[in-house]
Amino acid sequence: MNLLKIKEAIVVEGRYDKNTLSQLVDTLILTTDGFQVFKRKDKAALLRQVAAKRGLIVLTDSDGAGFVIRNHLKGIIPPSQLKQCYIPDLFGKEKRKKKPGKEGKLGVEGMRPEVLEAALRQCGATILGETAAHTSGGEITKLDLYHLGLSGRPDSASLRRDFLKANHLPEHLSANALVPVLNTIMTREELFQQFTEEDPPSV
């Protein structure tokens, strides 16, 4: 299997995640060592330096802890230098573990190569030697989510949860975090087509 040559560096949580990913991609892979990135200034400084130089893809687990780490990185690195890569919520147990994690979800290390590749392509990773396959112009807005009932309505949380599940996205994605993700993986028309046959309202 040919490794995907990726321009951006990738940050994952731990060494088992790194080992899994290194069998798929040819790029610099860094680790947060779990929550150590909160305490170690040298690690945070390295991530900032690498992000400024070549961009950084954040690929954490889809559980609550993974989102805490992801949000911390959002706070210490400029958003223009980050790409958020999400793995789907898949339930199971990694082979090396005796029992599943707290939320019962597979982490990055438990993902099949094709799932990781799809996630990297969806987040807009720059794969060297390939042309970008999808651009959406950043047209989907928070107002669109409100219009579709995914945000700001009494039953939005429930509807958004169903939408995330149907699109193989992690359940912890907030409405604010969902907007840039959707702009990476689909057009505004494709979003509205999931809810209605009508064209989206003009902006």
Side-chain angles (χ1 to χ4, degrees):
M1 176 179 175
N2 292 329
L3 297 180
L4 293 173
K5 293 182 181 293
I6 293 179
K7 175 189 173 234
E8 297 89 357
I10 303 175
V11 60
V12 293
E13 292 181 46
R15 62 190 177 99
Y16 293 105
D17 301 326
K18 181 177 179 178
N19 289 345
T20 296
L21 201 56
S22 64
Q23 297 170 45
L24 175 70
V25 301
D26 176 8
T27 190
L28 173 64
I29 304 172
L30 301 167
T31 63
T32 67
D33 298 328
F35 291 139
Q36 286 300 309
V37 71
F38 290 84
K39 304 171 186 174
R40 290 185 49 188
K41 291 183 180 178
D42 58 337
K43 187 169 282 291
L46 173 62
L47 291 171
R48 279 195 293 265
Q49 187 178 5
V50 169
K53 187 77 176 174
R54 59 193 288 185
L56 189 66
I57 294 172
V58 182
L59 179 55
T60 60
D61 293 350
S62 64
D63 59 8
F67 272 74
V68 169
I69 294 169
R70 188 183 291 276
N71 288 330
H72 176 71
L73 295 176
K74 278 185 192 173
I76 64 171
I77 297 171
S80 61
Q81 299 169 5
L82 285 180
K83 288 182 178 177
Q84 300 291 340
C85 184
Y86 298 95
I87 56 172
D89 281 337
L90 296 177
F91 292 87
K93 178 184 75 67
E94 285 84 1
K95 289 179 183 176
R96 69 179 179 87
K97 295 180 178 176
K98 291 182 179 178
K99 58 181 184 178
K102 187 177 178 183
E103 295 180 30
K105 298 174 185 175
L106 288 172
V108 171
E109 70 165 291
M111 293 289 135
R112 298 189 310 277
E114 60 268 26
V115 174
L116 289 172
E117 180 177 346
L120 287 166
R121 289 182 182 279
Q122 281 187 340
C123 83
T126 308
I127 300 171
L128 303 176
E130 292 187 10
T131 348
H134 176 85
T135 53
S136 67
E139 296 170 353
I140 297 169
T141 66
K142 186 84 177 287
L143 187 61
D144 289 328
L145 299 193
Y146 176 79
H147 184 84
L148 294 170
L150 294 170
S151 172
R153 309 280 182 91
D155 58 346
S156 289
S158 170
L159 185 62
R160 190 166 64 249
R161 193 161 47 245
D162 292 341
F163 173 80
L164 292 171
K165 188 174 182 180
N167 286 275
H168 309 291
L169 293 168
E171 66 174 333
H172 291 284
L173 269 182
S174 66
N176 284 334
L178 183 56
V179 172
V181 172
L182 292 178
N183 274 314
T184 304
I185 66 174
M186 65 178 68
T187 64
R188 192 162 176 258
E189 289 73 21
E190 288 168 342
L191 170 64
F192 274 80
Q193 282 167 8
Q194 292 196 34
F195 292 85
T196 173
E197 292 300 317
E198 297 175 13
D199 290 332
S202 56
V203 288

